[in-house]
Amino acid sequence: MASPEVVDIKGHLGNLTKLTLQTPSDEKDKVVSAIAGAMDACLKGKVVPAQIAALLTTMHFLELDYIPDIIDVCAREMRENAAPVPVGALEQVMEQHKSLAAGSYRGGFCDLVGTGGDKHNTFNISTTASIISSSYLMMAKHGNRASTSKSGSADLLQSMGAKLEAVTPDFLPVIYKNTNYGFLFAPVFHPGMAHVGPIRKQLPWRTVFNLLGPLAHPVNELIESRVIGVARKELGPLFATVFEISGVDKALVVCGEENLDEISCAGPTNCWLVNSRKSGNMLSAQFGAFQVTPQDFGFPPHPLSEVAPGGTPEENSMILRKILAGDMDDEDPILHFVLINAAAMLAISGCCEETTEEANVRGIPGDVITKTGPGGLRLKEGVRRAKYAVNSGLAKKQWDGFVRITNS
């Protein structure tokens, strides 16, 4: 590591101190600035491993990794150090897909992802739900390999035949010219994590990087709507506040009552809604908080034990293929679990807000369910559309397109 590029972050570390409500704003700004500088140096590979470990450890024990402003600046540094994406070309592709715009959904990119680490070892719910959602939305799923489970999103999709390393920044516009679905493999888009990843894994406690994945989306500025699952309830208001600080468009942060980073099929799920387009103002975390249950989506509750096969990527890919083929039993708990989470993505995007006539013209048959559930969201209409996407083959078509173009 002894090279002219190595920098010393002892000065940054010296500015770190525990923040409280009584901490003067100029002191808070000094700490935030110190962390931003140190994080930038770490992601650029200009810091020796011992100092990276010192930074992450200090932030952990001073509880700085639970301060919204600090989470926001760390996520920003991750995004700024990510591989650059061709924003202009992606905007042109979005224009080509403008027929997807429906209700209050304007045709922007969407993400459906969890922080992981909930230790429930359920089936790959958000990954499957993201594929179903691509029937109606431009999905940009950001993910990685398994960390605490047997089958991470990348592991599953590679088992399904996709070549994820082919999805490079410059290739993204080509992907979206051929399909509404894209998977952005974190190691390809965040090369700076190669300097940090091995060190954080050696530390015996959580670090700030356990939270940053969903906040460091490579095409963040083009994301219109997102559903983010967190593995602990206390993280819900934190993430909602971070989204407010960063000025996101529409976001739904969710945490199952069992500390599950999905909308639970077993019982209540805590939700925090952030919507900058609601009456022209951002909803604050405390005013945007509510709960949903499986019954709000039209399904009975199912114990998590019924949706936790703990399978390998190969085993889980068999389930996913069955779902996309429309061969899953209508009463299967895993299918209900997937449909619930896909419905939430469709509802928060705003595409469910169109009229029956508008939906029929766009090829979605039947009557739109206008009744709203908690949070003012058309959750049952989201379920109706998700079911149609599966049974009509729309979801499989988008997935097949992604596999084909990544193998081309």
Side-chain angles (χ1 to χ4, degrees), residues 279-339:
S279 303
N281 295 305
M282 194 76 77
L283 284 178
S284 66
Q286 58 266 38
F287 293 117
F290 56 91
Q291 283 192 333
V292 296
T293 67
Q295 291 90 330
D296 292 318
F297 295 84
F299 294 115
H302 301 285
L304 290 184
S305 59
E306 295 183 5
V307 293
T312 64
E314 293 72 25
E315 291 168 336
N316 284 0
S317 69
M318 293 175 63
I319 298 174
L320 176 51
R321 291 182 192 279
K322 194 172 181 180
I323 291 174
L324 294 180
D327 292 337
M328 203 81 157
D329 187 287
D330 289 344
E331 302 305 316
D332 191 291
I334 291 180
L335 179 61
H336 289 184
F337 199 1
V338 167
L339 292 174

Side-chain angles (χ1 to χ4, degrees), residues 26 36 49-50 56 84 151 181 217 219 231 243 262 286 322 332 336 341 351 374 387:
D26 59 335
L56 298 180
S151 178
Y181 189 78
H217 200 293
V219 295
F243 283 137
E262 320 267 13
Q286 58 266 38
K322 194 172 181 180
D332 191 291
H336 289 184
N341 282 270
C351 76
K387 285 181 176 179

Side-chain angles (χ1 to χ4, degrees), residues 134 151 158 181 229 251-252:
S134 70
S151 178
Q158 285 185 319
Y181 189 78
L252 185 67

Side-chain angles (χ1 to χ4, degrees), residues 39-223:
M39 189 65 65
D40 178 65
C42 291
L43 292 169
K44 283 184 167 62
K46 296 183 176 181
V47 180
V48 296
Q51 290 193 343
I52 295 177
L55 172 67
L56 298 180
T57 300
T58 302
M59 289 179 64
H60 175 79
F61 284 103
L62 290 179
E63 299 180 348
L64 297 176
D65 47 6
Y66 285 89
I67 305 296
D69 289 325
I70 290 175
I71 298 295
D72 179 56
V73 78
C74 288
R76 187 186 69 204
E77 291 298 332
M78 274 195 71
R79 294 194 298 267
E80 291 181 355
N81 280 282
V85 298
V87 173
L90 287 172
E91 288 176 330
Q92 291 178 6
V93 174
M94 288 167 59
E95 182 66 19
Q96 295 169 12
H97 287 265
K98 62 183 180 181
S99 61
L100 290 174
S104 63
Y105 173 57
R106 304 187 306 280
F109 288 105
C110 302
D111 191 19
L112 174 57
V113 65
T115 58
D118 62 16
K119 299 181 180 179
H120 287 291
N121 203 27
T122 58
F123 175 69
N124 300 92
I125 298 299
S126 63
T127 305
T128 306
S130 71
I131 296 173
I132 293 173
S133 299
S134 70
S135 303
Y136 310 102
L137 312 174
M138 293 282 284
M139 293 300 302
K141 168 76 170 167
H142 183 215
N144 208 336
R145 300 191 191 282
S147 177
T148 58
S149 65
K150 292 181 182 179
S151 178
S153 54
D155 304 307
L156 173 65
L157 299 187
Q158 285 185 319
S159 179
M160 290 281 291
K163 291 190 175 180
L164 303 184
E165 289 82 358
V167 188
T168 61
D170 289 340
F171 197 56
L172 278 179
V174 180
I175 295 287
Y176 287 109
K177 285 179 181 178
N178 288 272
T179 176
N180 299 340
Y181 189 78
F183 184 89
L184 284 66
F185 190 31
V188 173
F189 288 83
H190 292 287
M193 286 303 296
H195 305 295
V196 177
I199 297 166
R200 62 175 283 226
K201 289 180 180 178
Q202 293 174 21
L203 296 175
W205 40 73
R206 292 188 181 100
T207 74
V208 67
F209 286 102
N210 287 81
L211 306 179
L212 295 182
L215 303 172
H217 200 293
V219 295
N220 187 71
E221 63 185 286
L222 299 179
I223 298 291

